[in-house]
Structure formats: C-alpha cells, structure tokens
Amino acid sequence: MENFTYAHNDTSSGERKTPTARFNVPALDEKIRSLRQSAFSRGIPTADDETLNFLITLLSAVQPENILELGSAIGISGSVMLNVCSNAHLTSIEREEGFFREASENFSALALSERVTQILGDAGEIIKTLEGGFDFIFLDCAKVQYVKYLPRLKQILKRGGILLADDVLLYGWLTGETPVPKKRKMLARHVYEYVDAVTHDNELTTTIINAGDGLALSVKK
Ligand SMILES: C[S@@+](CC[C@H](N)C(=O)[O-])C[C@H]1O[C@@H](n2cnc3c(N)ncnc32)[C@H](O)[C@@H]1O
C-alpha cells in the first residue's frame, strides 16, 4: 500500500489536488490515453483525471442519448463521453479552428465521427441556434461566460437532464483555499455568480463537487 500523505492543496505540480485525486483515476483506452499525453505535452487544455473519472462514472449510470459539449478542444472529453454512452450523439462546439480540425481527426481515428456534430464558432452565439432536447450538457469553455449562458442552457436542457460545469472552484479561489490573484478577480467573480445562480435556481437542483478543479452538477426539475 502506498504511504499515506495528505495531498490536499499540494500545488507543487501547478495543479490543484483534492484529497481524493489519487483514488479517482479514470480507466482509459490506449488511444485516448495517448491523445491526452499529446495534449498535455503541447499545453492543450483537457479535463483532468478526477474530472474525467467523475464524468465516466456519472455517464455510465445516466446513459444520456443527446449530449452537448461547450468547449471541445481536441475532442478528448467528447470521445470519452461517447465511449461510455454507446447510444449517444454528441454536439460539440469549439471556437479555435486548429482545435476544431484536430478534434475532427481524432473523432475519425476513434471511429466516432458518425456520432458527432461538430460546430465551429462562439458557444454563446451557437447555443441560441440549437433546437434543444439535450439530456446532458458539459459546460467546459470560457468560464467568464458561464453565467451568461445559463438561461439558454436551461432552455435547451430536457427536464431531468444534467448540466455539468467544469472548473467552478478555480484553483481553490472560490472556497478560500487560495487567495484570488488581483488580475483574476473578475474571472473569480463571474464564476462565483454562476455557482450562486445554479445553487439558488428554483428550476435546478445543484451540488458543487470538490473533484478536479470543482464541478457544478445541476439537474433540471
Ligand atoms: C478546457 S478546454 C476544453 C477541454 C475539453 N472539454 C476536454 O476536456 O478535452 C476549453 C475549450 O473551450 C474553447 N472555448 C473557449 N471559449 C469558447 C467559446 N466562447 N466558444 C467556443 N469555444 C470556446 C477553448 O478554445 C478550449 O478549446
């Protein structure tokens, strides 16, 4: 058995580590593992281990059929979601053309292209045009915009559907574990507004989860 050390707030790796991070390691297939390695080595953003593990566990139980992702990057979380939910279709939005193209290649290499609708553009504009009926939404793009997107995301989410927002504890800034750097006060305020909104919304039931960099799990009543 591994020697016990208390890992909470260990920022030596540059990442926020929760006390549970060491246990919450996702089982990923070899192709996705190597895509993640490539993303990490090139500084491309992608969900951390604990977040991905939570996503896999949750989706294994819920098995949504119509998933929306805001922020595809190179398609890693999208591919993981599709692998877990064999009957699902994914609509994934990304505004960086290079990431969009690379995600397209990755979906194709993983034989997932037929189950994905990729949309290139600004998520805020695109969600206005989507028909809706999503039973799972993974919100993982510009954090300052989360609160602005919320009213529309609620409209396009089915009753009983789940809205999962990533990175809502922002390196521990929102829980007071670490002080908010002066330059990031605006970002912290916007994310706080999102957390405040979803935890006080009569149409949602929400739990804030201390996994990864913080997740807001909201279910539409
Ligand atoms: C954290 S990364 C997504 C990681 C991906 N979900 C994963 O786990 O593999 C956030 C992505 O959102 C994209 N993004 C940021 N703001 C956006 C916006 N307003 N509209 C669409 N995409 C946006 C960024 O270009 C970036 O690729």
Side-chain angles (χ1 to χ4, degrees):
M1 190 181 156
E2 187 187 350
N3 283 341
F4 180 80
T5 52
Y6 190 60
H8 193 47
N9 255 351
D10 173 7
T11 52
S12 53
S13 66
E15 276 179 42
R16 173 175 184 265
K17 292 274 182 221
T18 68
T20 47
R22 74 179 61 187
F23 304 116
N24 293 329
V25 179
L28 298 172
D29 72 36
E30 210 36 62
K31 284 184 186 162
I32 291 189
R33 204 180 281 279
S34 88
L35 284 182
R36 287 186 91 217
Q37 278 314 324
S38 161
F40 290 142
S41 65
R42 292 181 291 148
I44 292 172
T46 189
D48 66 18
D49 268 6
E50 204 174 21
T51 301
L52 220 45
N53 193 59
F54 182 81
L55 201 54
I56 291 169
T57 308
L58 179 67
L59 292 188
S60 300
V62 174
Q63 291 293 325
E65 294 185 351
N66 196 10
I67 301 174
L68 172 65
E69 176 178 58
L70 287 77
S72 346
I74 62 167
I76 295 174
S77 52
S79 299
V80 168
M81 291 192 278
L82 286 174
N83 279 346
V84 177
C85 307
S86 48
N87 292 320
H89 184 88
L90 171 72
T91 302
S92 191
I93 307 170
E94 173 57 51
R95 72 174 174 194
E96 296 291 333
E97 196 167 348
F99 287 169
F100 174 86
R101 287 186 195 286
E102 196 169 333
S104 173
E105 286 164 18
N106 292 335
F107 289 132
S108 169
L110 293 162
L112 294 170
S113 302
E114 284 185 5
R115 297 169 57 208
V116 184
T117 303
Q118 282 186 263
I119 306 177
L120 176 64
D122 177 65
E125 292 306 311
I126 286 157
I127 55 176
K128 291 179 195 162
T129 69
L130 296 176
E131 261 189 30
F134 294 100
D135 43 15
F136 190 86
I137 299 177
F138 185 42
L139 177 53
D140 193 21
C141 62
K143 287 143 219 356
V144 285
Q145 306 290 348
Y146 280 12
V147 70
K148 201 170 119 199
Y149 297 167
L150 183 61
R152 181 61 186 153
L153 294 180
K154 279 170 50 186
Q155 285 173 348
I156 59 178
L157 183 66
K158 276 186 183 167
R159 266 177 209 280
I162 292 173
L163 168 61
L164 184 70
D166 195 11
D167 301 319
V168 299
L169 296 180
L170 283 177
Y171 319 105
W173 302 342
L174 261 67
T175 51
E177 287 163 80
T178 48
V180 184
K182 253 193 190 151
K183 285 189 182 157
R184 312 312 296 275
K185 288 216 158 123
M186 180 77 94
L187 169 63
R189 187 168 60 76
H190 283 300
V191 177
Y192 179 82
E193 281 168 7
Y194 179 82
V195 170
D196 192 49
V198 289
T199 52
H200 291 92
D201 191 314
N202 289 334
E203 293 169 325
L204 299 173
T205 304
T206 296
T207 294
I208 305 301
I209 298 161
N210 188 16
D213 208 15
L215 293 161
L217 173 62
S218 303
V219 180
K220 183 169 166 179
K221 293 180 191 168

